[in-house]
Amino acid sequence: MKQLRRFVVPLAAALSLVSMPAASLASPVPADLVQLSCTETTTASYSPPLLNTPQTTTVASHSDIGPCVGLPGGYTSATTSALYSAVVGCTQLVQNLPGSKTYTWNDGTTSTFTYTRVSTRVLNGTTQIEFAGAITAGTFQGATAVETGTAANTQLMACSTTGVAELTFAGVLNITGL
């Protein structure tokens, strides 16, 4: 009987953890416990359209982030949106640094990503962009973050004529705090 009790009590404790709702496991986590990788799709609209020569442009962007995998569990998706005015062009998509964006996670918590390094490349019919920095507020504060995206730019010739009004980027967001 004692042997059965030794087995049943730990098993019951383990099963109670497994049956807990995911939301209760998704509380804010210190940055030193984060290894999260998420796919991301971002659509950015430019008005007036982007040209080779940088000009003042209104930029509206929205990102759908996820699915996410890694630690901690429970953070499966996020969104972020922005609307701002900046001097940008086809090869300079981000105004000078630093900049920030806020991710709203599937559990309702937020993370503020402050990027201090950005690179934009136009290469082989694609536009590639990378943001690097840190989570400076909210969930995962103190972790490092790198966000990359690539847009198939079939309108490269439009950069010198009518302009590029929209780009859709597919990429990855990695948040690490180990």
Side-chain angles (χ1 to χ4, degrees), residues 12-13 17 21 34 41 64 101 105 116 121 127 140 155 175:
L17 286 174
V34 179
T41 302
D64 289 313
K101 54 177 81 178
W105 295 99
T116 54
R121 294 178 295 283
T127 299
F140 312 131
Q155 311 168 60
I175 300 175

Side-chain angles (χ1 to χ4, degrees), residues 8 19 23 26 29 46 80 107 121 133 151 153 169 174-175:
V8 170
S19 65
V29 175
Y46 307 97
T80 186
D107 69 349
R121 294 178 295 283
N153 191 346
F169 294 86
N174 290 305
I175 300 175

Side-chain angles (χ1 to χ4, degrees), residues 105-160:
W105 295 99
N106 57 287
D107 69 349
T109 61
T110 60
S111 299
T112 300
F113 172 35
T114 300
Y115 45 90
T116 54
R117 181 174 56 88
V118 174
S119 65
T120 303
R121 294 178 295 283
V122 176
L123 182 67
N124 297 326
T126 64
T127 299
Q128 302 169 350
I129 192 163
E130 177 184 84
F131 298 90
I135 304 298
T136 55
T139 301
F140 312 131
Q141 183 172 354
T144 60
V146 176
E147 183 179 54
T148 59
T150 301
N153 191 346
T154 58
Q155 311 168 60
L156 286 176
M157 296 305 290
C159 288
S160 59

Side-chain angles (χ1 to χ4, degrees), residues 9-25:
V9 171
L11 178 62
L15 288 175
S16 69
L17 286 174
V18 170
S19 65
M20 290 177 77
S24 66
L25 296 173

Side-chain angles (χ1 to χ4, degrees), residues 45-51 90 153 155-156 158-159 162-167:
S45 301
Y46 307 97
S47 179
L50 298 172
L51 297 170
C90 281
N153 191 346
Q155 311 168 60
L156 286 176
C159 288
T162 58
V164 176
E166 183 175 281
L167 289 171

Side-chain angles (χ1 to χ4, degrees), residues 33-90:
L33 301 175
V34 179
Q35 184 67 44
L36 203 59
S37 182
C38 309
T39 59
E40 180 174 356
T41 302
T42 300
T43 300
S45 301
Y46 307 97
S47 179
L50 298 172
L51 297 170
N52 281 329
T53 303
Q55 63 182 337
T56 300
T57 302
T58 299
V59 180
S61 68
H62 176 80
S63 299
D64 289 313
I65 300 165
C68 301
V69 295
L71 296 174
Y75 293 90
T76 57
S77 63
T79 60
T80 186
S81 296
L83 178 64
Y84 57 93
S85 181
V87 177
V88 293
C90 281

